[in-house]
Amino acid sequence: MTNIHPMAFVDAAAKLGENVVIGPFCTVGPDVVLGDGVKLISHVALAGRTTIGPRTRVFPFASLGHEPQDLKYKGELSTLAIGADCVIREGVTMNPGTEGGIMSTIVGNKCVFLANAHVAHDCRIGNGVIFSNNVLLAGHCTVGDYVIIGGGSAVHQFVRIGDHAFIGAMSGVGSDIIPYGMAATQQRAATLSGLNIIGLKRRGFSRDDIHELRRAYRLLFANEGTLKERVEDVAAEFESHPLIHEILQFIRDGGDRSICVPAGE
């Protein structure tokens, strides 16, 4: 049974699933869709063509789906889609897409966004992602599955962060981060500081896989030759290892930003 507090405003055109709970002083716009069991604690502002998946909880003063912070935005009917079983804490902001991007912002399932995190327009975020307090994600970014970003970090627009990567607190991320990588700021810019070994162990990756990833990492970021040459050398050395080829494909695909490398590279 849906439970709407008498001091909340929910537009009659909004679509609400079963057992939705909407607390006091929330506002829900006409194009919002809430899945079964969604809970808005209080003072939550939902606007635009925003969809929130089942059982996601949204805490006070979160603002989701309002027009993006892009001066080129002209009112196009873009969307914000948030997956199931997410936790969106106090003061979090998420914007829909724009005509200059993919017309949508997409957040996966089982993600956690701690207080005052920001997800800008046209971003794609995978499953199981954690944004700590005050993480800022600029527009057009791609964040893979099970990424963790430490508190106070800022990610430049168009950056790609690969699956299972870890970004240390207060990092300025201006370059792409490889899958399974761990980066932290040195002299105000994030540099690659190894692999996210703790995260790999927590996610159940085998000892052999971690060993091979470490060996490939050392070869990939050695001092000899160019990165392009080393990519091909590692591809030949680890011809049948899917995790390593995921890293190599990420580098080969390229993006609008350079690849984050270890200090001194």
Side-chain angles (χ1 to χ4, degrees):
M1 179 178 177
T2 297
N3 184 344
I4 302 175
H5 194 280
M7 298 187 76
F9 175 79
V10 179
D11 194 285
K15 295 180 174 60
L16 309 182
E18 295 292 327
N19 301 314
V20 167
V21 176
I22 300 177
F25 306 108
C26 293
T27 59
V28 179
D31 297 316
V32 171
V33 178
L34 302 181
D36 295 345
V38 166
K39 187 173 184 179
L40 313 181
I41 305 299
S42 73
H43 298 83
V44 174
L46 304 183
R49 300 170 71 194
T50 296
T51 301
I52 299 180
R55 299 172 301 281
T56 288
R57 293 183 296 146
V58 187
F59 284 72
F61 303 106
S63 174
L64 311 176
H66 287 80
E67 68 177 64
Q69 298 176 90
D70 184 342
L71 297 179
K72 299 183 295 297
Y73 179 73
K74 302 299 181 186
E76 53 265 31
L77 297 177
S78 56
T79 62
L80 168 64
I82 300 168
D85 300 299
C86 292
V87 176
I88 299 172
R89 293 304 304 244
E90 294 82 357
V92 169
T93 54
M94 296 184 183
N95 295 156
T98 66
E99 194 172 53
I102 58 174
M103 283 290 286
S104 63
T105 298
I106 303 168
V107 175
N109 301 320
K110 298 184 178 179
C111 294
V112 176
F113 300 88
L114 298 185
N116 300 308
H118 174 66
V119 177
H121 57 89
D122 300 295
C123 289
R124 288 172 291 176
I125 297 175
N127 300 312
V129 169
I130 299 174
F131 281 25
S132 297
N133 293 14
N134 300 300
V135 168
L136 307 176
L137 189 67
H140 309 281
C141 290
T142 301
V143 178
D145 293 339
Y146 304 107
V147 169
I148 299 175
I149 305 181
S153 296
V155 182
H156 195 284
Q157 61 182 357
F158 293 103
V159 159
R160 300 176 304 146
I161 301 176
D163 294 348
H164 301 278
F166 180 92
I167 312 299
M170 300 184 69
S171 293
V173 183
S175 304
D176 290 349
I177 308 296
I178 61 170
Y180 314 104
M182 182 171 66
T185 286
Q186 294 183 11
Q187 298 180 342
R188 298 184 62 193
T191 58
L192 202 63
S193 56
L195 293 170
N196 182 17
I197 300 300
I198 293 174
L200 289 167
K201 290 178 179 177
R202 285 176 176 170
R203 299 304 307 170
F205 286 82
S206 72
R207 189 185 200 87
D208 288 343
D209 279 342
I210 293 172
H211 175 75
E212 292 295 89
L213 282 166
R214 274 178 155 160
R215 197 159 69 88
Y217 179 93
R218 287 193 293 269
L219 293 172
L220 192 57
F221 296 108
N223 292 323
E224 296 82 12
T226 65
L227 179 59
K228 184 177 180 180
E229 290 169 341
R230 295 194 299 267
V231 164
E232 298 312 314
D233 290 344
V234 172
E237 177 79 13
F238 299 90
E239 187 175 359
S240 60
H241 202 294
L243 299 182
I244 293 165
H245 278 272
E246 183 181 350
I247 296 173
L248 300 179
Q249 192 60 50
F250 182 92
I251 295 171
R252 286 170 174 150
D253 287 345
D256 294 289
R257 307 294 296 175
S258 60
I259 292 291
C260 185
V261 297
E265 271 287 294

